[in-house]
Structure formats: C-alpha cells, structure tokens
C-alpha cells in the first residue's frame, strides 16, 4: 500500500528547542491514525509540518508520493490535505453555513457558476454529515463548544479532502461531546477517510484508531497496533503520573 502522507526524518527546531527530533511516519489510506503524547511532545508541530505551516529544519514531507517539503499550505490543501486546529477557528461574522462554504470556495473547482452550485451542495452535505444542518443559519459563537467543533470538521471535509488532520478535537469537552465527536470520526472512517487524530488522552483513541503513534520529547517512542503499543512499558512510563495511563 502506498502511504498517502509520509514524513521522512523530520526535525523542527525553534531556537534551542528541538520540537521534533527525527520523526518518520506514514499514513495508510482509509486508516484512522492516532498521534498521542504528553503536552509539549511535538504533536502540533508534526501536524503543522504536514500542513506546511511549519518548515522543517531537516527531513522531507511526501503527499501522494510527491515531495511537498517546499510547498505552501494552500498547495497541500488543494492537493487534498485538510485540517482542524487545536483552538477552534471559525469566522465570527459569518453563519455556520457560510463558514462551511469557505472550506469549498478555496478550491479552484468552485470558480464557475456550476462550480459554485456544486460547492453549495457540498457544504450542505457536510453540514448534514456532521449533524449541524439544523444550526446552519446561526452564528458559531452562540453554539456549544462540541457543536462548534463539528462545524469546524464540516468545513474541513466539505472540500472532499483525501486526508484529514485533527489537532486535539476533543480537548476540554464533556463526556457527551467527546462521544459525539467520536461517532463523527467513526463515520468518516467508515466512508474511507484517511485521518490523523491528535490527542493526549491515550484511552480516548484506543477504541477508535487503527494505528497508534506515540511521541515523547519530539521523537517517535512507539508505533503500531493501538492496544499492543499502548501496553508497551516505555509508553506506559511516558504517560505515568499524567493521569493518561490506559485501563
Ligand atoms: N512557534 C514556536 N516557537 C517556539 N517554540 C515552540 C513553538 N511551537 C512549539 N514550540 C515548542 O516546541 C515543543 C513542542 O510543542 P508542540 O508541538 O506544541 O507540542 P504538543 O502539541 O505535543 O503539546 C514545546 O516545547 C513547545 O514549547
Ligand atoms: Mg498541541
């Protein structure tokens, strides 16, 4: 199987900080991958490198087999890489539906009249898929956090990406909200979406992911089958004392 996204020996340095220190990993088509690690272990920097917001000090990024290390964020977006951010980023002056339309209108196919009609259809379909169509005309700020997060995911999937990167989508959520996001991600996986889910709670990703990557101090500590990887002594130790030890 060809990896849809691959990092080869990525290093990212911020001044004296080695945020990412030699990470190589590959995302397989149609799999839900989880990237876990303690706070400050480099998870967001890995995703920022993939989405081309951060340029690595060393190493290469491949998207669909092509080297995109020098590409910009819009270029990888046009090539099918979408993401959500750790802090929700919705445009306040726009409705939920208008926010989701932004996810489609950036694509070149949305420029013609027929393209705009297809874009509107894609936005409405994404609203339904994320179960937020009933709040389409509402301002995002009026909505609970968990619903805002689903709007953000709707915006990311409206452009029919090949890969979706989610940076801690359930951080700070209630158990009920986490369950809703979990169901949404499971549905996307069933539809064949390739995903990378960042999370610091090992337990949350165990039942959900097909493949687990564990980061610690900017390095890949372990990777593989989620249950087997989570059970490794080195992984247990990295999470010890942080209340993230799986049951
Ligand atoms: N823009 C930046 N400038 C300086 N240091 C940064 C920057 N972004 C991240 N870091 C540092 O890099 C390390 C990894 O951060 P981050 O990737 O955000 O970790 P995580 O998402 O796992 O919490 C941390 O030590 C953090 O302080
Ligand atoms: Mg982070």
């Amino acid at each position: 199987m060809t990896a849809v996204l691959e990092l080869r020996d990525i290093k990212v340095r911020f001044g004296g900080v080695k945020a990412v220190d030699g990470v190589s990993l590959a995302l397989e088509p149609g799999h839900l991958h989880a990237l876990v690690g303690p706070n400050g272990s480099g998870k967001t920097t890995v995703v920022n490198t993939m989405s081309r917001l951060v340029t690595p000090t060393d190493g290469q990024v491949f998207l669909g087999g092509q080297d995109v290390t020098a590409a910009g964020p819009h270029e990888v977006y046009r090539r099918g890489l979408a993401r959500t951010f750790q802090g929700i980023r919705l445009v306040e002056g726009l409705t939920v539906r208008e926010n989701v339309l932004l996810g489609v209108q950036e694509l070149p196919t949305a420029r013609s009249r027929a393209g705009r009609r297809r874009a509107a259809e894609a936005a409405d379909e994404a609203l339904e898929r994320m179960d937020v169509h009933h709040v389409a005309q509402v301002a995002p700020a009026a909505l609970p956090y968990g619903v805002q997060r689903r709007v953000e995911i709707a915006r990311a999937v409206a452009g029919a990406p090949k890969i979706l990167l989610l940076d801690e989508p359930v951080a700070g959520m209630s158990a009920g909200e986490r369950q809703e996001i979990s169901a949404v991600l499971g549905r996307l996986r069933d539809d064949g979406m390739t995903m990378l889910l960042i999370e610091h709670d090992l337990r949350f990703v165990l039942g959900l992911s097909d493949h687990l990557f564990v980061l610690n101090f900017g390095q890949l500590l372990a990777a593989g089958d989620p249950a087997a990887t989570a059970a490794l002594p080195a992984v247990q130790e990295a999470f010890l004392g942080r209340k993230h030890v799986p049951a």
Side-chain angles (χ1 to χ4, degrees), residues 214 216 221-222 229-240:
V214 183
N216 202 25
L221 182 65
T229 304
L232 294 172
V235 174
Q236 291 279 324
E237 202 175 305
F239 281 85
L240 265 182

Side-chain angles (χ1 to χ4, degrees), residues 84-138:
T84 63
F85 292 89
Q86 196 164 344
I88 290 176
R89 296 189 185 181
L90 294 169
V91 184
E92 279 314 326
L94 301 179
T95 65
V96 161
R97 185 169 186 272
E98 287 164 344
N99 266 280
V100 173
L101 268 170
L102 288 179
V104 201
Q105 281 166 345
E106 283 183 47
L107 298 173
T109 45
R111 284 184 195 143
S112 67
R113 180 196 283 254
R116 281 195 299 275
R117 195 172 55 239
R118 277 199 302 275
E121 283 167 9
D124 289 330
E125 196 184 306
L127 287 165
E128 294 221 3
R129 213 165 159 201
M130 293 303 117
D131 204 17
V132 287
H133 50 290
H134 57 291
V135 291
Q137 303 307 329
V138 175

